[in-house]
Amino acid sequence: MTSQMKQEPPVQSKVIVITSGKGGVGKTTSAAAISAGLAQRGYKTVVIDFDVGLRNLDMIMGCERRVVFDFINVIQGDARLKQALIKDKRLENLSILPTSQTRDKDALTKEGVEKVLNELREEFDYIVCDSPAGIERGAQLAMYFADEAVVVTNPEVSSVRDSDRVLGLLSSKTARAENADAEPIKAQALLTRYDNQRIASGEMMTVDDVLEILAVPLLGVIPESTAILRASNTGTPVVLDEPSNASAAYADAVSRLIGEQVEMRMESDRRPSLFQRLFGRTA
Amino acid sequence: MFGFSLRPRKTAPKSAQTARDRLQILLAHERSSGSGPDCLPELQRDILAAIKRHMKIDTDAVDIRMDRGDELSSLEINIEFPASQPAR
């Protein structure tokens, strides 16, 4: 092997879709954090924006000023993949493939997506696909060739319902679902915007409530955190920003994604009071 | 005056200000027509065609980079040609 940094290089490169159905639950934030986390651990990682027409991953990754060519240009043969990939300035293992701001999702074709993904598989260990919201063409193409799925869910009724819908699509409308010999997509739930205080007061569903309904393994719980807005303001993936509970939770989720056993932590963003700190945790 | 000043202490720039600045620059570029990313494939083709009239180069040997700034943007075009292929 060429690299000794990698802990356990995946035998084959993996395509991971970050999806949710519902919008605004944290797909792009999660795609940015997870891809940066994978790259931090030495894996060659690329993150692709599938939200054609409403490009935003470039802003969250902080490379919006450097976009020249995009995913659609590559699919349509106007640019080579190498030209469209933007190398992250913080992590040399990380690349971003932005999407088009001017086209619509009809510019994506199954054949085109497959060709680009196959080319990326030759160079990268992990290919993270940031799905658009909804369950239309863009979202379906983002998940179609996936090996694994991260379903981003908020502990809230409409988000859980949409996640259930998406889990149904993952197990029926994807390449792995259509191939009887293939293992089904490995789908895991990532709970975001989790608020311990509101759960304690009974206002919000608990992790167990959500998992019982969705019946999928849990990849991680990301607490509601001020760090998320700050990171997107500055165009920094959360795991590369100042340490916070959210960045620690994403780092744990990345560990689980690559197969490590990490205990689930459930901390809220609130700092312990002086009293709590003086007398230790007596939970 | 020693030690004290009435001006507020210099703090790290607030991230909301960063967000505002980034959006202003980006949206100014996106709103102006003709500077969108879709003009670049055409620009690339035109540049290649012009150069090809004078020297032999590979279509794949072109690298275009852009950096959109507040005051000015830069477009960087690198064209590689084999050492054995002197420019005529």
Side-chain angles (χ1 to χ4, degrees):
Chain A
M1 282 312 299
T2 46
S3 169
Q4 306 240 304
M5 287 162 68
K6 289 177 198 173
Q7 293 154 326
E8 273 170 48
V11 191
Q12 269 188 319
S13 62
K14 274 191 184 149
V15 177
I16 300 174
V17 62
I18 315 292
T19 183
S20 72
K22 192 176 181 300
V25 295
K27 278 184 300 297
T28 303
T29 302
S30 299
I34 289 173
S35 53
L38 289 167
Q40 256 178 339
R41 283 154 205 254
Y43 295 107
K44 290 208 76 187
T45 306
V46 58
V47 55
I48 313 177
D49 192 347
F50 270 81
D51 201 351
V52 185
L54 288 172
R55 163 164 98 203
N56 270 321
L57 179 67
D58 56 334
M59 282 228 93
I60 302 302
M61 298 294 297
C63 64
E64 72 278 3
R65 296 195 203 181
R66 293 161 61 211
V67 176
V68 182
F69 296 115
D70 57 52
F71 192 19
I72 304 300
N73 291 144
V74 177
I75 286 179
Q76 301 191 334
D78 289 327
R80 282 169 306 117
L81 183 57
K82 217 180 88 192
Q83 291 182 306
L85 287 174
I86 301 175
K87 271 199 167 276
D88 189 87
K89 286 193 168 164
R90 298 153 294 215
L91 295 168
E92 63 164 340
N93 281 331
L94 182 60
S95 295
I96 300 113
L97 183 55
T99 194
S100 170
Q101 175 77 341
T102 49
R103 314 289 182 83
D104 62 35
K105 38 188 185 305
D106 294 333
L108 284 178
T109 60
K110 200 183 267 184
E111 296 70 32
V113 171
E114 184 174 27
K115 193 168 156 272
V116 172
L117 289 179
N118 284 341
E119 208 175 322
L120 289 171
R121 276 182 191 273
E122 283 169 24
E123 195 187 334
F124 293 95
D125 300 320
Y126 284 100
I127 300 157
V128 178
C129 301
D130 180 24
S131 170
I135 48 169
E136 309 292 313
R137 188 186 177 82
Q140 292 203 10
L141 282 172
M143 69 170 68
Y144 191 81
F145 297 101
D147 302 309
E148 291 190 25
V150 174
V151 180
V152 182
T153 309
N154 293 166
E156 177 269 325
V157 285
S158 56
S159 173
V160 175
R161 181 195 196 180
D162 290 0
S163 294
D164 187 62
R165 196 68 208 287
V166 162
L167 285 166
L169 290 174
L170 284 166
S171 57
S172 63
K173 296 266 172 76
T174 52
R176 279 180 176 269
E178 287 166 8
N179 178 356
D181 299 329
E183 289 264 309
I185 289 182
K186 184 181 174 194
Q188 300 182 86
L190 182 69
L191 256 72
T192 55
R193 314 203 70 162
Y194 199 80
D195 188 332
N196 265 347
Q197 229 90 22
R198 301 187 71 185
I199 281 153
S201 67
E203 285 175 69
M204 206 178 239
M205 283 186 283
T206 67
V207 175
D208 292 339
D209 293 340
V210 176
L211 291 183
E212 197 190 318
I213 298 166
L214 294 180
V216 284
L218 179 65
L219 181 67
V221 179
I222 314 297
E224 175 81 67
S225 167
T226 52
I228 305 280
L229 180 61
R230 186 183 60 223
S232 70
N233 276 345
T234 56
T236 315
V238 183
V239 294
L240 301 182
D241 203 20
E242 296 162 37
S244 64
N245 284 334
S247 68
Y250 271 118
D252 284 355
V254 169
S255 301
R256 292 184 200 106
L257 197 62
I258 58 176
E260 291 170 13
Q261 301 285 330
V262 184
E263 209 188 316
M264 211 55 79
R265 290 186 276 190
M266 307 273 179
E267 294 162 83
S268 75
D269 195 33
R270 273 159 243 219
R271 306 182 72 206
S273 67
L274 180 66
F275 184 82
Q276 284 173 317
R277 275 191 281 170
L278 281 176
F279 294 97
R281 276 162 252 162
T282 50
Chain B
M1 233 165 80
F2 297 100
F4 286 102
S5 146
L6 286 174
R7 293 173 59 189
R9 257 184 301 163
K10 261 192 194 162
T11 49
K14 287 274 191 300
S15 72
Q17 182 65 42
T18 315
R20 223 189 73 156
D21 296 345
R22 290 174 64 213
L23 275 171
Q24 273 177 343
I25 294 169
L26 184 70
L27 296 184
H29 284 284
E30 281 180 358
R31 284 174 187 150
S32 63
S33 57
S35 66
D38 281 5
C39 76
L40 289 167
E42 280 175 44
L43 177 67
Q44 177 180 252
R45 260 191 303 261
D46 291 351
I47 291 172
L48 268 175
I51 295 170
K52 271 184 173 168
R53 260 179 274 149
H54 303 283
M55 53 176 84
K56 257 193 174 169
I57 51 162
D58 187 5
T59 318
D60 281 359
V62 186
D63 186 35
I64 300 190
R65 264 162 219 292
M66 192 166 210
D67 199 345
R68 294 171 185 81
D70 195 358
E71 305 265 293
L72 76 164
S73 302
S74 69
L75 182 68
E76 187 186 321
I77 301 170
N78 281 310
I79 299 162
E80 286 171 23
F81 40 94
S84 58
Q85 194 100 67
R88 273 177 287 155

